[in-house]
Amino acid sequence: MASSKKEDVAHVVHKIEEMGYKAHVIVGVERTVVAAVGDERGKERLISLEALPHVEKVFPILKPFKLAGREVKSDPSIVSAGKARFGGGFFSVVAGPCAVESEGQIKESARLVRDAGAAMLRGGAYKPRTSPYSFQGMELEGLKLLWAAGQETGLPVVTEAVTPDQVAVVAQFADMIQIGARNMQNFALLRAAGRAGRPVILKRGMMSTINEFLMSAEYILSEGNPDVILCERGIRTFETETRNTLDIQAVPVIRQISHLPIIIDPSHAAGRWELVTPMACAAVAAGADGLLVEVHPNPAEAMSDGQQSLKPERFVQMMDAVRPLLAVMKKELC
Ligand code: PEP
Ligand code: MN
């Protein structure tokens, strides 16, 4: 529907719902698309909508991801929180410790990442650890400390929800919800995040294909939440020199098939702080829309992921390395 009126769109939505489909309105630069999502069987009936005067065309979406794909929305989506903006030429850096450990640690982290140019603060309160004996996070207390550090510094905050029942409290204290690699196919969690009313950073599972990654994003979108940021954080390969292998190709591949912003987490990809700046630079050169980086005031004392966390001065160096590349790529650092 080109330059559609509100009431025309509402009418189409109503008709689609009458036929038993869920309607998603996607307002693009050129036209408004109303995606009818539901049972594949009987979808021919939707063709009759072409008879409506304000409907330009009814066409089937061939890709398995209906809402995440470019078929339904050709212009890039921009996802924002506070001053952080991802996609459509905007680039933001999310930085902070792997986990919230204390009030002093998270507040110091917030100040130092903000002063170096990060637009958003990260910090895990609920940690999905490989071992049940490892530090599991400060939970609700950590969530409150993260929120307070964000308030004090003016930074929006993101933190992970590990289970569906944590989503509500995470949405209450954080500006964005992170879904971790180990949970990329936790469909109940994806659905809960889709209903939480907050943007979501969805991390790619370490054993997941790009197709599966986009299908997981589709779960969130299909619940009516259009604000999904995809995060490539390394996949598992036969290589043992690094924690994971950063699939840098995922950036241009996803760019071709999806309108969603895609960011890179070089910290979990590499598992070693020395590789973070080179991979952050590679991410910018590949066209990423942002970075998610672990920074700790004192990595040697970190309760998790210290070996891959940047010291404050190294984070400043990373930002200095990335800025000129952003200019070359015509990206605006927010
Ligand atoms: C994290 O961001 O600290 C984290 C646990 O990441 P991932 O889910 O990518 O392993
Ligand atoms: Mn971590």
Side-chain angles (χ1 to χ4, degrees):
M1 299 162 79
S3 57
S4 322
K5 285 204 219 86
K6 261 204 173 96
E7 52 271 29
D8 293 345
V9 175
H11 184 224
V12 174
V13 167
H14 178 71
K15 286 283 175 198
I16 288 172
E17 286 172 352
E18 254 183 8
M19 293 185 187
Y21 288 84
K22 219 169 175 176
H24 295 264
V25 179
I26 300 144
V27 183
V29 181
E30 298 269 307
R31 52 175 47 77
T32 300
V33 175
V34 185
V37 182
D39 201 333
E40 289 278 313
R41 294 164 298 178
K43 62 176 189 275
E44 299 73 25
R45 283 182 307 144
L46 290 162
I47 297 286
S48 67
L49 294 173
E50 240 169 45
L52 296 175
H54 36 271
V55 172
E56 188 184 318
K57 193 169 169 44
V58 175
F59 60 91
I61 306 168
L62 301 171
K63 289 269 175 3
F65 22 87
K66 311 294 179 198
L67 302 170
R70 285 224 179 241
E71 273 179 292
V72 93
K73 185 171 186 284
S74 56
D75 51 312
S77 289
I78 299 168
V79 178
S80 42
K83 62 180 178 182
R85 284 216 229 174
F86 305 84
F90 298 108
F91 186 101
S92 292
V93 177
V94 185
C98 180
V100 178
E101 298 168 3
S102 68
E103 183 179 0
Q105 176 251 18
I106 194 64
K107 288 199 167 168
E108 191 181 345
S109 301
R111 282 193 292 270
L112 75 90
V113 301
R114 180 198 57 192
D115 294 349
M120 192 160 179
L121 176 67
R122 63 151 288 148
Y126 301 96
K127 293 304 300 176
R129 305 306 302 280
T130 300
S131 164
Y133 311 120
S134 302
F135 173 59
Q136 303 287 310
M138 290 181 76
E139 304 182 334
L140 182 59
E141 196 191 345
L143 212 46
K144 290 181 179 170
L145 292 176
L146 177 71
W147 176 82
Q151 291 290 306
E152 197 179 279
T153 50
L155 292 176
V157 301
V158 60
T159 195
E160 180 167 351
V162 178
T163 64
D165 50 294
Q166 285 164 5
V167 167
V169 72
V170 167
Q172 186 187 340
F173 288 101
D175 302 276
M176 281 195 197
I177 301 166
Q178 180 175 319
I179 295 187
R182 288 157 194 80
N183 260 324
M184 191 205 83
Q185 287 191 316
N186 180 338
F187 301 117
L189 179 61
L190 296 171
R191 284 202 192 280
R195 290 191 292 262
R198 292 278 189 204
V200 177
I201 295 181
L202 176 65
K203 298 187 101 180
R204 179 178 178 184
M206 57 191 96
M207 313 287 262
S208 301
T209 64
I210 288 172
N211 187 76
E212 288 162 343
F213 191 18
L214 290 171
M215 289 312 291
S216 289
E218 191 73 22
Y219 266 89
I220 302 168
L221 299 170
S222 70
E223 290 297 324
N225 185 349
D227 293 324
V228 177
I229 298 169
L230 302 166
C231 179
E232 159 62 39
R233 45 76 76 206
I235 51 174
R236 184 161 285 180
T237 66
F238 52 80
E239 184 53 70
T240 53
E241 283 295 315
T242 50
R243 185 175 181 183
N244 293 287
T245 298
L246 180 61
D247 180 10
I248 199 77
Q249 297 183 124
V251 176
V253 169
I254 288 172
R255 178 81 67 226
Q256 266 184 3
I257 50 189
S258 177
H259 54 86
L260 296 173
I262 162 96
I263 66 171
I264 292 281
D265 169 353
S267 310
H268 291 85
R272 288 160 41 187
W273 70 263
E274 321 90 87
L275 304 179
V276 170
T277 293
M279 291 304 97
C281 292
V284 177
D289 301 303
L291 291 166
L292 181 77
V293 183
E294 286 188 340
V295 179
H296 195 286
N298 183 3
E301 306 267 289
M303 294 174 85
S304 59
D305 287 348
Q307 70 293 347
Q308 67 193 32
S309 299
L310 294 178
K311 285 182 182 174
E313 62 269 27
R314 293 206 170 106
F315 180 59
V316 171
Q317 288 164 4
M318 188 209 86
M319 292 299 294
D320 288 345
V322 149
R323 271 192 204 94
L325 296 172
L326 286 169
V328 171
M329 295 302 292
K330 301 193 169 46
K331 290 264 161 95
E332 186 181 326
L333 180 65
C334 299

